[in-house]
Amino acid sequence: MKFSLSWLMDHLDTTATAAEVADAMTMAGLEVEEVHDPAAALAPFTVAKIVEAVQHPNADRLRVCQVETVDGMKEIVCGAPNARVGLTTIYAPIGAYVPGLGVTLVEKPVRGVVSNGMLCSASELQLADESDGIQELPPEIPVGTPVAKLFGAEPVIDFEVTPNRPDWLGVTGIARDLAAAGLGTLKDYEIASVRGGFPCPIAVRIKAPELCPVFAGRLIRGVKNGPSPEWLQRRLTSIGLRSINRLVDVTNLIAYDRARPLHVYDAGKLVGSEIVVRGGKPAGDTGEALIALDGKTYAAAASDCVIADAGGERAIGLGGVMGGESTGCDEATTDVFVESAWFDPIATAQTGRSLGITSDAQYRFARGVDPASVVPGLELATRLILDLCGGEPSEIVIAGQAPANPAAFAFDPTFVKRLSGLDLSDDRIADILSALGFGIARGAPWTVTPPTWRRDVDGPADLVEEVARIHGFDHLPDTPLPDQGAPSNGVLNPRQARMRIARRALAAMGYAEAVTWSFTRRDIAAMFGGGDERLVVDNPIASDLDCMRPSVLPNLIQAAARNAARGHGDVALFEIGPIYLGDGPTDQRTVIAGLISPRAARHWGGAGEDALFGLKGDLMALLEQIGAPVAALQLAQGQTRDWWHPGRSARLQLGPKTVIAEFGAVHPRVLKALDADGPMLAFEIVLDVVPEPKARPTKARGSADLPNLMPLTRDFAFVVEDSRAAGDLVRAAAGADKALITDVRVFDVYRGAGVPEGSKSIALEVVIQPREATLTEADIEGLSGRVVAAAEKLGARLRS
């Protein structure tokens, strides 16, 4: 929304400058975008007179002029064909910036003659689109007169209108708020009625009151249309509007002056003597296409408001949006029908959105035009048309009834201090609200009635906001809050502490944290054991997020696939979050999931199992970090669920019913369904079932128990059934002597010649750490025998 300073002063008696107006608007809650002051750009340019003009000695098309200027007599080289003795024109001194050329004048020779300035055309000062030569001014204008004063250049303020304040779409609404804020005095802008000389020959019938509750109009016959007077053209062009003709310019002026859109029909082009307001015809009917004033053809839907003639059959306009080309006013118009109606804001907004039209009328009706302005807006248009075009008006014809006025409500003025902190007297509060147009009946409490143009106000809090912004937001008290002492660092419960430890540990291992939706697609959830009807979302935010996730893995797999599609295939991701199983009170669980997508460089030795064992190492280290009983965990193979690779996955458990984690390679079938390239390796820890470590009594840490004897190792190779897990053998060997054996590592697994069918050879390295004395050969042999005996209990035998 734009308006010029002089336009504002038509409604506000003030001496404020444009900058002061902009500051007052800002403090009153209006968002000023820009203050454009063309007078500032034209400040260097003044009126001058050519005293002498002779041919340039070195150029046929140039003349050397002696010019009387505000700076005295100047010699200026000019190439304009109309440069002649006695011409009054525009002078630009050295150092002036010429906006139409985008240059700053400097003193330099032109074909050997120094030009001490420039004589300008209107286009060079951006006062006109084109110019044939330098500007010719009336000879009676004194030399030195500022050009800005001659062309009426004045500041224009551009500001953003919030959707709840349609009254700001008229200059009168801005003037009212500024007057209430104390910037000036609001002028009386009551509109006098114009008496009609004859009954209106055009009737109005409303068939769709839900789209247009009220419609008023009148015929003015014998008008003389044509170009608008200079003052009206200047007012419209100052805010970026194009002058069309007197009749149309009047409606544009009132739309920006009073926030009251109007429309004029050439009465001679109407078919029949009745205007019908209806909805659009259903799809399939013929004759509904409308060629609008913008030259485009639109097809109205049943929800669109259509203005029609010819008994309601021919569409001549889209109500509240745009008129039709068939009844547009032109230079030949002699009889005009003026429309002033109120169109439903929601229906008007939907029409503009569906048809792609954003007109000045649609912009205003979609935000809510003042219903009480229907008849006054028509009266004002009548007065302006009679003044500019002449003619004789008919009586006003009105169909329908305007929406009810805003309802009054109770208001306690002490609420202003309670809500805003402003300590204002009742008289001050009443003065502010009255200046804004609110009706006040004092009592206990007050009864406040919002004006018809303020339908956004419906409660006491809205009134407090009005009082605060007009009194000034800068007057709001800034009392600091009482000191509450040092903030608490907070206490994490055991689960939160474990989540923080896990997050830091995984980040230290090189995993990047992912934060994904707690939803997934239902068919994907079914692949991971979910998809239960109870977990389907009734109103999903997207069609592919319609089910609560039963696992974090599908989201991590898809995230890794997206990274690979963008050239980052070698990723390591983790996420800590909820999963949903739909199995009763424990249907929501917290898990820690990690995924790697190894994309190592190609090698003749192949990828091997290094990545899988590396993932297992990360998992075990993470479990140890969060305090899980790693030594007591059992590794079970062949019991994982369908989305894991059956031969390259396992679970860690505390007995068959307490599964702590699952890990391994993701099944290729699942990767294909998720459009992801393998291999991908992952793990998922159910944090809820990880036992919490036993509380230890707090005591001072003792001295370090560091052995002073060198450790030694012994290697064993056992033949076991192929189905026996290597971890079982490791635990058995470690338990043979817990005092001396500090570590047991698998360093070889062999199947082939020398090993029976269905069996395998597992080679263990046992680390022995003496404590009190160096072990003798007999001590070592005895320890080795205990290791072999422990392995034999599992059905293993020492390989010969």
Side-chain angles (χ1 to χ4, degrees), residues 749-763:
V749 178
Y750 171 73
R751 299 176 182 85
V755 177
E757 186 80 19
S759 300
K760 60 184 175 183
S761 172
I762 299 178

Side-chain angles (χ1 to χ4, degrees), residues 707-709 739-740 769-775:
N708 56 1
L709 299 173
L740 293 176
Q769 176 62 63
R771 292 285 177 177
E772 298 177 355
T774 302
L775 298 179

Side-chain angles (χ1 to χ4, degrees), residues 146-169:
V147 171
K149 181 179 178 180
L150 294 178
F151 288 90
E154 60 174 329
V156 174
I157 299 174
D158 185 5
F159 70 99
E160 187 69 27
V161 179
T162 55
N164 67 316
R165 293 301 304 271
D167 57 307
W168 283 345
L169 290 168

Side-chain angles (χ1 to χ4, degrees), residues 251-445:
T251 63
N252 288 335
L253 177 70
I254 296 175
Y256 278 82
D257 189 73
R258 305 299 174 101
R260 160 39 64 185
L262 304 165
H263 187 66
V264 287
Y265 301 90
D266 188 330
K269 298 177 182 178
L270 293 175
V271 177
S273 60
E274 182 184 45
I275 287 180
V276 179
V277 184
R278 58 172 174 82
K281 292 182 179 179
D285 288 359
T286 59
E288 192 59 18
L290 170 71
I291 302 176
L293 288 172
D294 61 359
K296 299 179 181 179
T297 301
Y298 301 98
S303 59
D304 299 329
C305 184
V306 172
I307 312 299
D309 63 359
E313 291 301 314
R314 186 181 72 150
I316 59 173
L318 293 169
V321 180
M322 189 173 290
E325 191 178 75
S326 60
T327 56
C329 294
D330 53 31
E331 302 293 331
T333 299
T334 57
D335 298 337
V336 61
F337 182 79
V338 186
E339 165 200 295
S340 181
W342 192 87
F343 299 98
D344 180 73
I346 295 178
T348 307
Q350 291 175 340
T351 298
R353 188 180 302 112
S354 61
L355 298 180
I357 306 176
T358 304
S359 63
D360 286 338
Q362 188 268 346
Y363 187 81
R364 285 162 172 75
F365 278 119
R367 282 156 177 77
V369 172
D370 180 9
S373 68
V374 171
V375 172
L378 183 59
E379 297 282 17
L380 179 59
T382 302
R383 172 56 57 198
L384 287 173
I385 291 174
L386 295 180
D387 290 345
L388 298 178
C389 307
E392 181 184 7
S394 74
E395 297 174 353
I396 294 176
V397 57
I398 304 177
Q401 187 173 3
N405 292 337
F409 55 85
F411 176 67
D412 184 354
T414 62
F415 193 53
V416 172
K417 184 174 182 180
R418 292 205 309 269
L419 197 61
S420 70
L422 293 170
D423 191 5
L424 303 177
S425 67
D426 289 358
D427 290 341
R428 174 59 176 157
I429 296 172
D431 289 343
I432 291 175
L433 295 178
S434 298
L436 293 175
F438 291 88
I440 300 175
R442 295 202 185 191

Side-chain angles (χ1 to χ4, degrees), residues 37-58:
D37 189 358
L42 294 177
F45 303 94
T46 54
V47 174
K49 181 172 291 187
I50 300 176
V51 176
E52 178 184 290
V54 299
Q55 186 68 40
H56 192 290
N58 302 319

Side-chain angles (χ1 to χ4, degrees), residues 355-592:
L355 298 180
I357 306 176
T358 304
S359 63
D360 286 338
Q362 188 268 346
Y363 187 81
R364 285 162 172 75
F365 278 119
R367 282 156 177 77
V369 172
D370 180 9
S373 68
V374 171
V375 172
L378 183 59
E379 297 282 17
L380 179 59
T382 302
R383 172 56 57 198
L384 287 173
I385 291 174
L386 295 180
D387 290 345
L388 298 178
C389 307
E392 181 184 7
S394 74
E395 297 174 353
I396 294 176
V397 57
I398 304 177
Q401 187 173 3
N405 292 337
F409 55 85
F411 176 67
D412 184 354
T414 62
F415 193 53
V416 172
K417 184 174 182 180
R418 292 205 309 269
L419 197 61
S420 70
L422 293 170
D423 191 5
L424 303 177
S425 67
D426 289 358
D427 290 341
R428 174 59 176 157
I429 296 172
D431 289 343
I432 291 175
L433 295 178
S434 298
L436 293 175
F438 291 88
I440 300 175
R442 295 202 185 191
W446 294 1
T447 299
V448 178
T449 304
T452 56
W453 59 83
R454 290 302 305 275
R455 293 178 179 269
D456 59 304
V457 177
D458 58 6
D462 295 326
L463 295 181
V464 174
E465 181 183 0
E466 293 300 300
V467 172
R469 72 180 182 86
I470 295 301
H471 185 69
F473 289 129
D474 54 335
H475 292 104
L476 291 174
D478 55 358
T479 305
L481 294 174
D483 185 10
Q484 301 295 327
S488 172
N489 291 328
V491 178
L492 299 179
N493 61 37
R495 178 185 296 181
Q496 292 171 330
R498 281 180 160 180
M499 291 168 63
R500 183 172 67 173
I501 292 171
R503 188 171 282 111
R504 293 178 176 178
L506 286 167
M509 294 176 190
Y511 289 75
E513 184 173 11
V515 180
T516 66
W517 294 107
S518 293
F519 318 102
T520 188
R521 210 169 61 230
R522 189 174 182 183
D523 59 329
I524 295 177
M527 285 193 296
F528 287 81
D532 190 289
E533 188 68 33
R534 292 171 294 178
L535 298 180
V536 176
V537 182
D538 289 337
N539 186 23
I541 59 176
S543 60
D544 57 347
L545 297 173
D546 60 349
C547 186
M548 307 301 290
R549 65 183 182 186
S551 170
V552 178
L553 295 181
N555 291 0
L556 289 182
I557 292 171
Q558 290 175 311
R562 286 192 294 270
N563 276 272
R566 289 158 177 78
H568 302 282
D570 191 6
V571 296
L573 304 174
F574 79 92
E575 181 173 1
I576 303 176
I579 62 171
Y580 306 87
L581 305 179
D583 56 0
T586 59
D587 61 348
Q588 179 175 329
R589 299 182 184 179
T590 301
V591 299
I592 305 172

